[in-house]
Amino acid sequence: MPKDIITARATDYSQWYLDIVRNADLADYAEVVRGCIVFKPTGYAIWEAIQRGLDERIKATGHENAYFPLLIPKSFLTKEAEHVEGFAPEVAEVTRAGGVELTEPYVIRPTSETIIGHFYAQWVHSWRDLPLLINQWANVMRWEMRTRPFLRTSEFLWQEGHTVHATEAEAEAETLLILNDVYTDFLEKEMAVPVMRGLKTEKEKFAGALRTYTIEAMMQDGRALQAGTSHNLGQNFAKAFDIKYTDRNNTSQFAWTTSWGVSTRLIGALIMAHSDDEGLVLPPRLAPRQVVVVPIYRNDDEKALVLEAVDRITAPWTGRLRFKIDDRDNLSPGFKYNEWELKGVPVRVEVGPRDVEKGSVAIARRDVPGKAGKEFVSQEGLTERIEELLADIQTKLFAKALAFREDHTRTVADYEELKEAIETGFARAYWAGSRADEQKIQDELKATIRAIPFDQPEKEGKCIFTGQATAQQVVFARAY
Amino acid sequence: MPKDIITARATDYSQWYLDIVRNADLADYAEVVRGCIVFKPTGYAIWEAIQRGLDERIKATGHENAYFPLLIPKSFLTKEAEHVEGFAPEVAEVTRAGGVELTEPYVIRPTSETIIGHFYAQWVHSWRDLPLLINQWANVMRWEMRTRPFLRTSEFLWQEGHTVHATEAEAEAETLLILNDVYTDFLEKEMAVPVMRGLKTEKEKFAGALRTYTIEAMMQDGRALQAGTSHNLGQNFAKAFDIKYTDRNNTSQFAWTTSWGVSTRLIGALIMAHSDDEGLVLPPRLAPRQVVVVPIYRNDDEKALVLEAVDRITAPWTGRLRFKIDDRDNLSPGFKYNEWELKGVPVRVEVGPRDVEKGSVAIARRDVPGKAGKEFVSQEGLTERIEELLADIQTKLFAKALAFREDHTRTVADYEELKEAIETGFARAYWAGSRADEQKIQDELKATIRAIPFDQPEKEGKCIFTGQATAQQVVFARAY
């Protein structure tokens, strides 16, 4: 596995990403199925770690999981006018089944607001049934023209939450609870990816939503990646699917609904936020394997000696650390170091005959490649030392990503500055433009308003496009 | 929630099952999507518990999870002759996507041997790549004419393992490892469902397999439910998809593959194995909620007193027991008892003002309804008492199901006895008949050979159909 098969980020960021995906063995292209990939074990293990962290938070905030059908009667899509416009062009249709042509085709869910709305209308009767707080882990399909592993695939995996509330205020609180306590908390604490939170503009919001909130992460090329969205759907879907409840005064009311989701895209975000030219870099809290132990020996005597020490050293780790002993016989230690570096294991422990003699080991941290990240430590207290190191790596990865974002975020005063700023990162700008203005900028600069961020300036300024005075800043960026 | 909405098992077993599913709020019919159901939170939580227990065992036996595409090019199905015959009639087809007609339609996976075989052919090169041990959690679709929630639905959820080996012996060992250490161990220890293990006859084996092993469980009406199968696929799929490896002598060889799966059908098995005329009965190890606490009070003073005691009593339970405090204000204790009985929570704890005074509580075990299952115990040592009780319920449920199966299994000497025996349960019979004979019995009796069980008699006997001497016994039953 020679190192030069990974293109340097500085040379070609886009190719670097594909090289990481291939060399870390995360995914395979499914050329026989348009736009799809295979999630290989190393890639899927990251998704499992993401699922665990999110599922815990989704349940802790009072939601339960359920599962709704994959297929949606095609006519359901048309019940919400904006929704059908957004999704109809990219659905896959089932027109034949069990050997016969269907009278009404089904679509494979591109998202489940419509089919779930249909059931919620039957389940919700009284204010006592509310709030209804359900999440689903599922595959969805949107027929895509261009594929990029994890970032854009026809089939992807995700969670989609769908909730029903009695009032607009409750729906709004739910939307923000998910954005803050589930998504932001998970991305920042577990994935070590800082996010910018904010509201989407009318142009960028979800098809059918009243308001869409977003978390946007910055990748190492300065582009934005929309990592998760949380939608206050208002009464749009309640009206389209007749989700009504009887309130405490015995009056029938349309309910308020929300939906929110994050997907296997997060694997792409994770790769692009932390990895380097040597391969994948994974934050310890999320890494399927946190530590790899490489025994070093030249003959059977040394092997016996070293493996005995490795067993003794790692005995207390079970249940405390996720580790692997790489005792493959046919590969050199150097080959193994390289492979685990490529695969992003946060800490490597090397044990040779000299170490056994001296009661020491060598440990290397993945986030600091080369000699600078290597130290020789005593076997005594090793477990605690590794735990400290893992915690330190987690903290440093977040700090590094945050510093990178701050270094690559500029507040711009005019359109010229905007043009320049979006070449390298995020541009904060006063904005009072119209939807058409927004489109014009997108056409000219290939940049979009990622969000109207929650943190807003105290003073008014001048819109960079219209020159109007405004208190509102937005963040422009090019995006994945 | 009056009790008489559950039909008694003795009256109509089939209706009883549907009544349990509805009243315990496990699923909803998705009439708008042919043959599909919605897995409601209570039902899906059981599936999550099943997934946890199986996933742990699948990983402990050396397998990793991955994810392959939902869609399969239709032509793939035809590559294995028996396989296409078995599955082609029941697939759903995607013929249009992204607004255009597809030149080759896709089928939604009814099972993934073909698409996974296609990738394995690209991944496997050398004996060093073997064994390849992968599992997938996924949804699959088989267009069904008749629906029965969990037991038979067009879309269902499952795990499907797909492995590649260098030799027939290794593939056979894998097939049996899964049957024994994963499926049997899980069903018997966690689900408290005893299973009969054995080999399927040629007539009953998986379309495309060399040999299919099965675990068969007996339901309370004496019918068999095929709970899981493990297939040694021989070289059939390796030849169809060109899965070859270079052996240690540098010779190219076809590999040997296996596949194995269990599905959301297990939820149906669980319901039908243990539940009674009062509702669902869940084994404690699998129950999403093991204990429900119902506080009893008539006024605010009592409420404060009782809830304070409940908080104190349950404080040590976090992390030890999965419990819920049912403090809903608008419902009577009696209503709550009934609801949790319906939903199968293994242990109920009642705490009233008298109990607070006396330092006691009442506990009721779900598997012994009424007064016989209720006892008054001290609050001191309550956690341990409940843990003992849960362990006892788990053991008793298994013992009861096993005794039931033994009581309803007869060894039959001739065709007349077979006819009688399959009216109430399993019939063990000496068998040397042909595939045509097997079909004849199925047509006449609606019973099939469920398995050639692993435990075989020591002596020869006479085939109940042909009269031939044979050492082989099989088990006949009617099946779900």
Side-chain angles (χ1 to χ4, degrees), chain A residues 28 33-34 39 41 48 59 65-67 69-71 89 91 93-98 106 119 123 139 143 155, chain B residues 28 33-34 38-39 41 48 59 65-67 69-71 89 91 93-98 106 119 123 139 143 155:
Chain A
D28 199 359
V33 190
R34 156 72 164 275
F39 294 78
E48 287 183 300
K59 284 175 176 155
N65 289 330
Y67 186 78
L70 170 73
L71 300 183
V91 292
E93 295 180 33
V94 173
T95 61
R96 193 159 53 214
Y106 295 102
F119 288 104
W123 298 353
N139 53 345
W143 215 249
E155 183 186 5
Chain B
D28 199 358
V33 190
R34 155 73 162 276
V38 177
F39 294 78
E48 287 184 298
K59 284 177 176 153
N65 289 332
Y67 185 77
L70 170 73
L71 299 184
V91 292
E93 295 179 32
V94 173
T95 63
R96 195 160 49 215
Y106 294 102
F119 289 104
W123 297 353
N139 53 344
W143 216 246
E155 183 186 6

Side-chain angles (χ1 to χ4, degrees), chain A residues 110-405:
Chain A
T111 178
S112 299
E113 280 76 8
T114 58
I115 186 84
I116 293 181
H118 168 82
F119 288 104
Y120 282 1
Q122 298 168 54
W123 298 353
V124 170
H125 303 288
S126 142
W127 60 272
R128 285 193 194 83
D129 301 325
L130 301 180
L132 182 58
L133 305 172
I134 290 182
N135 175 62
Q136 160 169 286
W137 290 96
N139 53 345
V140 284
M141 184 160 280
R142 299 176 188 176
W143 215 249
E144 291 284 355
M145 301 304 289
R146 293 168 311 157
T147 309
R148 262 183 104 64
F150 305 123
L151 297 175
R152 191 175 294 280
T153 52
S154 291
E155 183 186 5
F156 55 92
L157 306 177
W158 78 344
Q159 64 64 221
E160 48 179 326
H162 295 271
T163 70
V164 188
H165 305 266
T167 65
E168 178 172 10
E170 284 173 33
E172 183 72 3
E174 165 77 11
T175 312
L176 289 169
L177 175 76
I178 296 300
L179 194 83
N180 296 325
D181 292 14
V182 178
Y183 294 162
T184 302
D185 192 71
F186 174 73
L187 266 91
E188 299 202 331
K189 286 198 189 136
E190 310 279 326
M191 288 178 57
V193 172
V195 296
M196 172 188 61
R197 283 175 271 187
L199 184 67
K200 285 284 185 191
T201 60
E202 283 299 304
K203 174 175 170 297
E204 297 288 328
K205 73 178 187 186
F206 177 74
L210 184 63
R211 272 189 290 280
T212 289
Y213 294 99
T214 183
I215 50 170
E216 303 277 328
M218 184 187 282
M219 304 295 98
Q220 292 178 68
D221 61 351
R223 284 184 186 236
L225 184 141
Q226 178 179 301
T229 45
S230 183
H231 317 294
N232 182 337
L233 301 173
Q235 294 182 311
N236 295 343
F237 285 88
K239 285 178 178 166
F241 288 91
D242 208 32
I243 310 172
K244 281 181 182 169
Y245 72 96
T246 309
D247 70 13
R248 283 166 200 255
N249 303 319
N250 222 21
T251 310
S252 181
Q253 305 275 7
F254 280 113
W256 298 78
T257 68
T258 83
S259 69
W260 29 275
V262 297
S263 74
T264 35
R265 219 170 191 227
L266 288 183
I267 303 174
L270 194 67
I271 297 169
M272 288 204 289
H274 303 305
S275 301
D276 60 23
D277 294 350
E278 319 294 316
L280 196 63
V281 173
L282 291 175
R285 293 184 63 134
L286 207 69
R289 278 174 188 143
Q290 299 172 307
V291 187
V292 61
V293 182
V294 179
I296 303 165
Y297 47 82
R298 282 160 308 180
N299 55 50
D300 283 352
D301 284 353
E302 286 185 4
K303 182 179 172 181
L305 185 78
V306 168
L307 288 184
E308 187 275 326
V310 165
D311 283 346
R312 184 168 34 77
I313 291 167
T314 56
W317 293 2
T318 306
R320 258 176 103 168
L321 296 171
R322 298 188 291 277
F323 68 100
K324 180 185 170 69
I325 300 167
D326 185 354
D327 56 3
R328 290 175 293 174
D329 245 343
N330 54 331
L331 301 172
S332 72
F335 184 96
K336 292 177 184 175
Y337 299 169
N338 196 2
E339 177 172 341
W340 297 115
E341 238 167 59
L342 266 172
K343 293 195 171 171
V345 176
V347 170
R348 181 179 75 232
V349 176
E350 307 165 7
V351 187
R354 280 270 188 102
D355 298 303
V356 179
E357 245 171 62
K358 295 195 287 184
S360 67
V361 302
I363 51 181
R365 53 191 292 170
R366 175 64 184 87
D367 63 329
V368 184
K371 278 194 181 162
K374 201 156 166 177
E375 55 175 332
F376 296 87
V377 299
S378 168
Q379 288 173 20
E380 208 159 315
L382 180 62
T383 312
E384 291 71 19
R385 178 67 198 111
I386 290 174
E387 284 174 336
E388 278 167 30
L389 192 54
L390 291 171
D392 189 55
I393 295 171
Q394 184 81 28
T395 309
K396 292 256 167 64
L397 285 178
F398 181 78
K400 193 175 156 193
L402 186 60
F404 183 88
R405 188 183 75 186

